[in-house]
Amino acid sequence: MNTTVIDAHNISKVYNPKTIPVHAVNEVHLHINKGEFTALVGPSGSGKTTLLNLIGGLDRPDKGNIFINGTDITKLTAGELISFRLHNIGFVFQSFNLIPVLTAKENAEFIMLLQGVKRKERERRMMQLFKDIGLEDKMDVRPEKLSGGQQQRVAIARALASKPQFILADEPTANLDSASASNLLDNMAKLNKEENMTFIFSTHDQRVIERARRVITLVDGKISSDTAVVPTTEIQTGQVTS
Ligand SMILES: Nc1ncnc2c1ncn2[C@@H]1O[C@H](COP(=O)(O)OP(=O)(O)OP(=O)(O)O)[C@@H](O)[C@H]1O
Ligand SMILES: [Mg+2]
């Protein structure tokens, strides 16, 4: 049975409404089920970041409703929204956003500290996550000693550690070389498959788009196409059984 995690109804965001209005997101409907692995694509300025920010509660729509696991986040107060985000939504940004003075483990642990997760449980999740991302030997290293790809994997671990309903990633591979980008996608796909974690990522990178199972294209703030796809890598390796 499909479980809805995101249900956005008719959402719009207009920048500069009083001068030269920009309809960054224009009456968008979006339904995402648990376990989806979705790429958000479209030309620069088509509204990908704005849409991700609205769904993630980092910004508010001017119009419409956004239900996350049944809660309409457009109705929450600022304080409630911060708390809701903390407990429900994982973010991965283009620029990694790790805190330089903290180790990889401390960075990934940080949100759990804010959530009040007990030490023993934090340790358990950290061991498992760093194993999953293949960085068990880098837990005590600061970000400056990690490659871009490794930093981004720590950012994924940080997002996952908070046990979110879904992870939003805005161009997560934009600052990575192609080998690191591929490795990051391997990690995301593994977590998607094994933990049924829902991912929505924006990207311009065709190789990243090819890994998605659903591709949503935005043009001028509107969804112009929404397609379910079978990743070509699976067709080539014959992993598709149904
Ligand atoms: N804070 C802002 N103030 C005014 N206009 C904005 C703001 N943020 C975005 N815009 C405009 O909204 C539109 C959508 O921008 P957005 O950043 O969502 O696009 P994008 O698809 O993420 O682009 P890119 O692929 O370059 O990251 C653009 O026309 C942009 O110029
Ligand atoms: Mg963007």
Side-chain angles (χ1 to χ4, degrees), residues 10-17 22-25 50 54 59-66 74:
N10 204 27
I11 54 171
S12 294
K13 177 77 191 177
V14 184
Y15 292 113
N16 313 326
V22 177
H23 293 268
V25 168
T50 307
L54 294 176
D59 202 354
R60 289 183 185 270
D62 297 307
K63 211 174 81 179
N65 301 87
I66 303 166
T74 66

Side-chain angles (χ1 to χ4, degrees), residues 96 143 146-154 172 175-177 180 184:
F96 320 144
L146 298 172
S147 71
Q150 290 170 336
Q151 289 187 51
Q152 199 58 312
R153 275 144 68 194
V154 173
N175 287 323
L176 303 182
D177 59 62
S180 302
L184 182 78

Side-chain angles (χ1 to χ4, degrees), residues 48-49 170-171 202:
K48 302 181 296 296
T49 296
D170 195 6
E171 301 199 36
S202 76

